[in-house]
Amino acid sequence: MADKTAPDSQLRLEWVYGYRGHQCRNNLQYNANKDLVYFVAGVGIVYNVRDNKQRFFLGHDDDIVSLAQHPDRILVATGQIGKAPYICVWDSNTTDTVSILKDGHQNGVSAMGFDKEGNRLVSVGMDQHATVNVWDWRKGKIIATARGHSDKVFDIQFHPFKDNTIVSCGVKHIKFWSLSGNTLTPKKGVFGKVGDIQTMLCLAFGADGATYSGTLSGDVYIWNENNLDRVVPAAHNGPVYTMDSSEDGFATGGKDGVAKLWDADFKNITAVNLVNAPGGYKGLCLRSVCWRGDQLLVGTQDSEIFEVQVKGRDKPLCVVQGHAEGELWALAVHPKKPIFATGSDDQTVRLWNMNNREVLSRTSVEQKVRSCAFDAEGQHLALGMTDGDLSELIHIKDRKEVIHEMKFSPCGKYLAVGSNDNFVDIYAVEQRYKRVGTCSGSSSFITHLDWSQDSKFLQTNSGAGERLFFRMPAGKQVTSTEEIQSIHWATFTGVLGAEVNGIWEKYTDTNDVNATDANFAGQVTVTGDDFGLVKLFRFPCLKKGAKFRKYVGHSAACDKCTFLTRQAASDHNRGC
């Protein structure tokens, strides 16, 4: 098939696992319909927990790192990182874009807030001056701009009970800004003898005009105008990362894994210790809280979202889980059940149920996980680690370098393991994973490998752009063109060869495409690349520069992609 047109089949984003908890705060809200609004990677997510359905906003081209909710609790602003970062204002009911705010920041948008009428939006950037912008967001125009501070600014908000007042806080400072026309005038917070000068991490506001700031030490500082008025000592055991104002008072969350509710006078009402709750764990750290009526939403640094009934606070429900900070490379689909496995730099391996989108199990391991594979029956799961270990089934360490790729043979008798030191080792499953062969000859690290249908051959790709063939299980290299052309592959996940020539555009580097997976029945292949794109091509894809269908959502590189089903491709084909 030499057709260069895009395939008729399409992919549709069905589900996004996880929540961005690291290096963010106050990024989790209930909207007016009581749906959860949050983000992960480059996707804004609206999650209806009751119906277990998600909707997606896909207007960003890099990691989203900040979120603000409009007073109508329908519109949402999200800010991203990047060389030319921008802010999107979008409707959480329809996920339609309402406004895009460009050319205001560099490096990223770290925090935002709407004014009480919802007409203006304040944002602060990640540039060296922490530039503060006030926007007429409907027109996409900057009303006022100023340098925010010489160090990082962690939060910025309009004061909802004081007209034209903005408060910002960050590393060892807090500032109170007056907005007059297109001029922003700051006043530094005066600590006096009431409290120590320290880093302020988050803000909240009282109806009496007071400003509350959560501190690195665990105290909450209460400000009258720009003067520190009083201190709530040891509100948390460690940094207070998040605060939220509600009709009933305030919610706070910290590194100690505790969410606390306070009345309007900032007297403690109750505390929810998520570390000791079902699903909790040592080191659990809170990054976002949202208190609405009897519902409390809590987002953690390790990508969980808990929903807590305030009256039944001893039973928090974990409604979202995902991998924590770090790269996620390992992905394998169970051969017989609606299950897939993932492993990441957070040193956990997780099994996921595709039907109800829940985590079936989570296992911690001693190293970062870079690859995984199910055997033909789905009874064994092998893990490849960054330090060269082959784990879970039996502990083997034949290589010192990271294990990038591994696959069981279709017959189930062998496991092929490709490493960063240019070799593929073949292990005999029935001999307690004794090494029975080695494939050598690659001049660079192994990136991809595939077995033939009869388990007699293996093909490899390397970082140097080589495609080599080996006879199994001994690992002797095959060079006969006639023999190679007669091989029928069980899978095709490599990026090299005539079969996938068309996935390469002109002038692309051989490392730009990280992953492929061919669906033979559907005659399509899917790719994941360094630019965060998922593309769908025809398969085989013989001519360079073939047309494709493009899908966004991953903001950084897409390191792995695979079909969850090998049935013929249709409009309902699902990829991950």
Side-chain angles (χ1 to χ4, degrees):
M1 184 189 294
D3 193 341
K4 288 181 67 175
T5 62
D8 297 327
S9 305
Q10 295 190 40
L11 301 177
R12 184 185 70 243
L13 184 59
E14 185 176 271
W15 198 260
V16 178
Y17 294 84
Y19 149 81
R20 166 103 186 212
H22 62 276
Q23 299 170 341
C24 294
R25 54 183 54 75
N26 300 331
N27 61 345
L28 175 60
Q29 297 284 343
Y30 282 112
N31 72 2
N33 296 325
K34 297 185 179 179
D35 293 337
L36 279 57
V37 182
Y38 57 100
F39 57 79
V40 66
V43 184
I45 300 170
V46 183
Y47 178 25
N48 183 322
V49 177
R50 301 172 298 283
D51 297 336
N52 201 29
K53 291 183 178 179
Q54 292 181 342
R55 301 191 304 280
F56 310 106
F57 177 74
L58 297 169
H60 287 278
D61 63 6
D62 214 323
D63 271 338
I64 304 172
V65 290
S66 54
L67 180 148
Q69 190 176 56
H70 191 276
D72 68 9
R73 293 178 59 199
I74 295 173
L75 297 178
V76 176
T78 44
Q80 66 170 72
I81 59 171
K83 291 182 180 178
Y86 54 88
I87 298 165
C88 292
V89 181
W90 50 281
D91 187 311
S92 65
N93 286 343
T94 64
T95 67
D96 292 336
T97 302
V98 179
S99 184
I100 298 177
L101 314 181
K102 292 187 174 183
D103 303 322
H105 293 292
Q106 296 176 351
N107 302 331
V109 182
S110 60
M112 298 178 294
F114 286 96
D115 68 3
K116 65 179 180 181
E117 291 85 14
N119 296 324
R120 297 170 297 183
L121 178 77
V122 63
S123 60
V124 61
M126 295 179 174
D127 57 293
Q128 63 177 339
H129 303 300
T131 300
V132 173
N133 291 327
V134 179
W135 303 79
D136 179 335
W137 61 266
R138 287 187 175 88
K139 295 180 179 178
K141 293 183 177 180
I142 295 174
I143 300 169
T145 187
R147 291 185 174 185
H149 199 69
S150 57
D151 216 324
K152 286 183 180 179
V153 174
F154 293 126
D155 201 359
I156 193 164
Q157 303 287 335
F158 273 96
H159 198 305
F161 303 105
K162 289 188 174 183
D163 291 340
N164 299 314
T165 298
I166 293 168
V167 185
S168 64
C169 68
V171 175
K172 294 187 177 180
H173 78 277
I174 186 168
K175 288 185 178 180
F176 298 81
W177 303 78
S178 296
L179 176 62
S180 179
N182 62 355
T183 303
L184 275 169
T185 307
K187 287 184 178 179
K188 293 181 180 179
V190 178
F191 292 82
K193 297 182 180 179
V194 181
D196 297 327
I197 297 174
Q198 61 171 308
T199 295
M200 307 284 154
L201 299 169
C202 53
L203 297 165
F205 304 93
D208 58 356
T211 298
Y212 298 81
S213 62
T215 71
L216 189 65
S217 69
D219 302 333
V220 170
Y221 283 6
I222 304 174
W223 301 82
N224 181 8
E225 301 295 337
N226 66 318
N227 295 299
L228 182 56
D229 186 50
R230 60 191 177 97
V231 174
V232 180
H236 284 270
N237 182 18
V240 183
Y241 284 128
T242 175
M243 304 180 76
D244 180 53
S245 306
S246 85
E247 294 179 355
D248 300 303
F250 303 91
T252 61
K255 190 176 181 180
D256 56 5
V258 178
K260 291 189 176 182
L261 304 184
W262 312 77
D263 65 17
D265 297 320
F266 223 86
K267 299 287 193 301
N268 189 232
I269 301 171
T270 190
V272 182
N273 189 329
L274 285 141
V275 175
N276 300 326
Y281 51 89
K282 185 180 179 181
L284 185 147
C285 169
L286 306 191
R287 303 296 297 201
S288 189
V289 290
C290 177
W291 181 18
R292 299 291 179 267
D294 191 45
Q295 302 284 109
L296 177 67
L297 268 184
V298 179
T300 76
Q301 182 159 306
D302 285 353
S303 301
E304 298 106 350
I305 297 176
F306 288 88
E307 195 167 40
V308 183
Q309 302 290 330
V310 173
K311 292 177 182 176
R313 57 189 179 275
D314 57 332
K315 296 179 180 179
L317 177 66
C318 186
V319 294
V320 173
Q321 290 190 60
H323 284 281
E325 185 176 8
E327 296 182 20
L328 194 160
W329 288 62
L331 172 64
V333 178
H334 195 283
K336 296 187 175 183
K337 296 180 180 180
I339 292 169
F340 66 94
T342 56
S344 89
D345 284 0
D346 68 2
Q347 297 179 213
T348 69
V349 179
R350 301 170 194 241
L351 292 179
W352 306 83
N353 184 318
M354 297 178 205
N355 292 336
N356 61 17
R357 294 122 177 185
E358 292 181 352
V359 176
L360 293 172
S361 68
R362 164 183 164 164
T363 303
S364 295
V365 293
E366 295 182 357
Q367 295 289 333
K368 296 177 180 178
V369 184
R370 278 300 164 90
S371 56
C372 63
F374 283 103
D375 71 342
E377 295 299 316
Q379 296 177 343
H380 294 163
L381 178 66
L383 307 178
M385 311 299 195
T386 53
D387 68 345
D389 274 1
L390 174 62
S391 190
E392 282 297 279
L393 303 166
I394 189 166
H395 192 85
I396 302 167
K397 189 175 176 68
D398 288 329
R399 300 292 171 197
K400 296 180 180 179
E401 300 286 338
V402 56
I403 294 173
H404 278 301
E405 181 70 306
M406 55 170 56
K407 280 190 175 77
F408 283 92
S409 62
C411 68
K413 293 182 178 180
Y414 304 106
L415 174 65
V417 178
S419 72
N420 216 44
D421 50 9
N422 310 355
F423 296 100
V424 178
D425 293 309
I426 310 301
Y427 296 93
V429 174
E430 294 170 352
Q431 298 179 50
R432 288 188 54 80
Y433 294 89
K434 175 184 176 182
R435 184 165 58 175
V436 293
T438 297
C439 305
S440 60
S442 293
S443 62
S444 185
F445 57 92
I446 305 301
T447 57
H448 307 85
L449 54 85
D450 290 291
W451 286 90
S452 62
Q453 290 179 356
D454 59 10
S455 302
K456 292 181 178 180
F457 298 94
L458 192 79
Q459 70 166 332
T460 66
N461 291 181
S462 77
E466 303 160 310
R467 183 190 186 191
L468 300 179
F469 305 87
F470 302 90
R471 187 171 284 107
M472 294 290 102
K476 183 180 179 181
Q477 188 171 347
V478 178
T479 57
S480 167
T481 303
E482 185 177 346
E483 189 173 12
I484 291 168
Q485 289 178 343
S486 69
I487 299 171
H488 296 282
W489 299 107
T491 59
F492 200 103
T493 60
V495 299
L496 303 171
E499 298 92 329
V500 289
N501 271 344
I503 70 174
W504 298 98
E505 297 183 42
K506 288 183 178 180
Y507 314 117
T508 49
D509 188 276
T510 53
N511 295 321
D512 284 349
V513 180
N514 301 315
T516 70
D517 188 29
N519 185 311
F520 298 142
Q523 296 184 320
V524 291
T525 188
V526 65
T527 68
D529 62 31
D530 270 355
F531 313 105
L533 296 176
V534 173
K535 296 177 180 178
L536 189 69
F537 294 86
R538 292 185 184 274
F539 184 85
C541 190
L542 303 176
K543 289 190 176 182
K544 283 210 169 187
K547 303 294 184 183
F548 53 84
R549 296 185 183 275
K550 179 176 69 174
Y551 305 92
V552 299
H554 295 280
S555 48
C558 176
D559 296 316
K560 199 82 171 179
C561 57
T562 185
F563 284 99
L564 298 180
T565 173
R566 297 289 168 186
Q567 296 170 356
S570 70
D571 285 347
H572 300 288
N573 261 344
R574 294 180 292 172
C576 181

